[in-house]
Amino acid sequence: MSQGVPTVETLYHSTRSKDETVTSKQAILAGIAPDGGLYVSDQLGKVAIDPAHIAAQTYHATARDVLAALLSDYTADEIATCVAGAYGSNFDTPAVTPLTPLGGDWLLELYHGPTCAFKDVALQMLPRLMSVAREGDGRGVMIVTATSGDTGKAALEGFADVPGTGVTVFYPHGKVSDIQQLQMATQRGANVAVAGIRGTFDDAQTQVKRIFADADVNRRLADAGTVLSSANSINVGRLVPQVTYYMDAYAQLVKRGAIALGDAVDYFVPTGNFGDVLAGYYAKQLGLPVGRLIVASNTNKVLTDFIETGTYDRRREFVKTISPSMDILVSSNLERLLYYLTDGDCERVAAWMADLSTKGVYTLPIDVMDRMRETFACGYATDDDTRETIRTTWERERVLIDPHTAVGVCVAERRASEGRQRVCLSTADPYKFSADVLAALGHSTEGMDGFACMDALQELTGMEAPVQLSGLRTAPVLHADVCNQDEMADFVEAACARIF
Ligand SMILES: *Cc1c(COP(=O)(O)O)cnc(C)c1O
């Protein structure tokens, strides 16, 4: 498929009902379907991108093909502009997501963007897709996000100075790492607002949901020409850009002579909300020779238990781990996979999701599970396993990995090879989690702040921390607001008044 060739139109509808269809632009602006379902397209599996074509081209060209295939109401010019802007000098390597050797396997480095985590790949693109989608609509779009640490900064970087948009981020004051706090507090851009809140991440999340549902707030904002929106990972505009790096990793393996065209490849994916690994399934549906997708979990192993037993049960204790971006008990994007595994049976999907929300548990029939297991496998790693993997990977390979990546690598090491090349997705720069990585290498971190740990880690490994993180030391703090939970709505309204 190439740019300019008319593609099949991709219309989207909810996973829970086919009654209303929307264009991909509308789906991206709305984020979630009105019935609470996630937007899916029945074109998935009907259009294909030729792997031979992918293997011969750049990351950017593949990104354009993927977007054209899945977001057909964007013009070729719109897509080209979005791709060029999203993956330019804001990534610290022209390869965007380079593939490097890890023993006999491969590491796919997804952390070369402005915030040093894989969420940049999607959040550098989503604001551009939204900006195009709202063209001709004079209203300003205010993104409101609660964050436990990583997503907030990636959203701030993505939306900073994007015309027609603003972004407000709330984080739990005193409950994110000092480096994460500085990443947000030093954010530049005329359209950004950041506040710590007195409370936990869950408090922040609950209040944000309340603000979205507050009719008075929304009416006042509408009168002033503003709508609220979310940059949550269930937005198709976040999912689709992630498909690109599965394809590009394949291309890199072909170019290196590690595989022949047509050989299948296995991918190990550190998983939380099931967005990243679902993008691998989309790549397979678009014709990429994917062998197996291995879902790697931390101690919050709801998905491992689910894939093994067929029962999804969120009724368990939530555990805080050293891979916090995977500390999730309800993996929202799984709903999309259920839709495709049942050949689009909205009624069954809606019933399972209703059970999940009322009872906290549902069980899939054997035939659906069999179908899932044709592609998906699973494994998990405890915090001790994770630290051990960080240490042995450093000692044996001289490769430094972050705790999220280490969960995937640990699962790969324990799993027998099926004779295919294996790619481990590396989702964050190790320096983003300097303290835990330093401790995993056997060093004391007592009394040390994030920068002291970063220094010690640089000394120990001889590898430099990325400037996106080390530069925070001298960056001016621009956002020092801390507010109470009942002041959050006012904070959003004030930000809208200032920005739009
Ligand atoms: C968000 C995140 C993950 C989990 O990705 P999902 O798409 O939620 O499964 C893994 N690692 C890091 C570093 C992340 O920020």
Side-chain angles (χ1 to χ4, degrees):
M1 181 184 317
S2 63
Q3 295 294 309
V5 177
T7 50
V8 188
E9 192 180 18
T10 45
L11 287 172
Y12 284 79
H13 59 75
S14 167
T15 41
R16 301 180 192 179
S17 154
K18 297 182 189 180
D19 293 347
E20 271 176 56
T21 55
V22 296
T23 65
S24 57
K25 287 181 180 174
Q26 290 166 328
I28 285 170
L29 281 179
I32 188 163
D35 62 2
L38 275 53
Y39 282 116
V40 284
S41 168
D42 293 326
Q43 284 310 314
L44 188 70
K46 302 203 175 109
V47 284
I49 301 178
D50 182 1
H53 188 70
I54 297 296
Q57 66 184 11
T58 62
Y59 189 97
H60 295 82
T62 298
R64 290 194 293 269
D65 285 350
V66 168
L67 266 57
L70 295 174
L71 310 173
S72 69
D73 57 326
Y74 284 79
T75 67
D77 278 350
E78 287 169 346
I79 286 176
T81 306
C82 287
V83 168
Y87 309 125
S89 58
N90 43 346
F91 277 72
D92 65 16
T93 161
V96 187
T97 61
L99 190 75
T100 52
L102 177 71
D105 296 330
W106 302 90
L107 210 53
L108 180 60
E109 299 181 1
L110 303 176
Y111 53 74
H112 289 274
T115 79
C116 301
F118 97 101
K119 291 189 172 65
D120 287 330
V121 179
L123 277 165
Q124 287 294 303
M125 177 62 79
L126 175 68
R128 293 178 164 83
L129 294 173
M130 273 192 178
S131 197
V132 170
R134 66 170 282 287
E135 255 162 42
D137 180 340
R139 293 176 300 170
V141 180
M142 175 56 89
I143 304 296
V144 183
T145 297
T147 183
S148 59
D150 278 350
T151 306
K153 175 62 180 177
L156 286 165
E157 272 298 330
F159 282 93
D161 291 328
V162 173
T165 73
V167 54
T168 304
V169 168
F170 295 107
Y171 66 89
H173 186 66
K175 295 191 178 69
V176 300
S177 81
D178 41 6
I179 291 187
Q180 284 176 320
Q181 164 144 359
L182 265 182
Q183 276 192 304
M184 292 185 274
T186 57
Q187 179 66 45
R188 293 171 182 281
N191 65 339
V192 306
V194 179
I197 67 129
R198 295 186 185 92
T200 63
F201 166 68
D202 284 330
D203 295 331
Q205 177 96 313
T206 304
Q207 283 304 324
V208 165
K209 284 186 184 156
R210 241 176 236 164
I211 293 169
F212 279 122
D214 188 321
D216 290 337
V217 171
N218 282 284
R219 187 176 27 75
R220 279 197 299 275
L221 290 176
D223 289 346
T226 309
V227 301
L228 299 180
S229 186
S230 136
N232 193 289
S233 79
I234 54 181
N235 194 309
V236 276
R238 270 188 69 175
L239 182 60
V240 170
Q242 295 178 172
V243 176
T244 304
Y245 50 73
Y246 285 89
M247 300 215 168
D248 188 68
Y250 192 87
Q252 293 187 62
L253 286 170
V254 173
K255 286 173 190 164
R256 282 169 173 265
I259 56 170
L261 200 60
D263 289 351
V265 171
D266 292 345
Y267 294 85
F268 290 78
V269 190
T271 298
N273 213 13
F274 208 78
D276 198 358
V277 72
L278 184 70
Y281 180 78
Y282 275 45
K284 183 172 188 175
Q285 298 305 104
L286 284 167
L288 189 73
V290 172
R292 227 173 266 288
L293 294 166
I294 296 95
V295 176
S297 305
N298 63 24
T299 304
N300 296 296
K301 59 181 184 62
V302 190
L303 286 169
T304 311
D305 294 344
F306 171 58
I307 293 169
E308 276 173 0
T309 65
T311 296
Y312 193 104
D313 190 348
R314 69 170 166 84
R315 301 168 303 175
R316 62 180 76 201
E317 202 189 327
F318 174 88
V319 183
K320 202 171 153 18
T321 73
I322 60 168
S323 44
S325 299
M326 297 158 62
D327 289 344
I328 284 180
L329 294 181
V330 177
S331 299
S332 310
N333 269 300
L334 189 61
E335 182 169 345
R336 286 195 166 100
L337 181 65
L338 300 182
Y339 176 83
Y340 290 115
L341 290 176
T342 56
D343 294 318
D345 191 336
C346 293
E347 255 173 59
R348 280 212 282 176
V349 173
W352 291 324
M353 291 304 113
D355 280 350
L356 181 63
S357 92
T358 56
K359 301 177 195 145
V361 59
Y362 64 89
T363 300
L364 294 191
I366 296 282
D367 60 316
V368 179
M369 283 316 296
D370 283 347
R371 233 176 137 180
M372 174 181 282
R373 292 184 189 121
E374 284 168 17
T375 302
F376 290 88
C378 61
Y380 79 99
T382 64
D383 274 357
D384 280 345
D385 298 334
T386 306
R387 288 190 201 96
E388 175 76 4
T389 302
I390 293 172
R391 188 177 64 76
T392 55
T393 304
W394 172 248
E395 286 173 359
R396 283 188 215 140
E397 314 288 342
R398 284 291 179 257
V399 174
L400 196 63
I401 54 175
D402 99 288
H404 302 80
T405 305
V407 169
V409 171
C410 177
V411 169
E413 280 174 354
R414 286 183 183 163
R415 190 178 168 84
S417 162
E418 294 182 72
R420 294 181 286 266
Q421 291 292 317
R422 312 195 309 168
V423 173
C424 296
L425 273 60
S426 182
T427 51
D429 187 289
Y431 280 102
K432 195 158 190 184
F433 300 93
S434 290
D436 284 318
V437 172
L438 185 64
L441 296 183
H443 293 258
S444 165
T445 57
E446 221 183 285
M448 292 162 72
D449 71 5
F451 291 116
C453 293
M454 196 184 284
D455 288 340
L457 203 53
Q458 293 190 113
E459 179 102 351
L460 190 74
T461 62
M463 291 163 57
E464 244 177 81
V467 289
Q468 297 96 305
L469 299 176
S470 59
L472 292 170
R473 244 180 260 255
T474 51
V477 169
L478 305 172
H479 311 278
D481 289 308
V482 179
C483 66
N484 293 326
Q485 291 167 44
D486 60 5
E487 294 166 334
M488 287 168 62
D490 289 345
F491 187 84
V492 172
E493 287 192 71
C496 289
R498 176 169 61 80
I499 290 164
F500 300 115

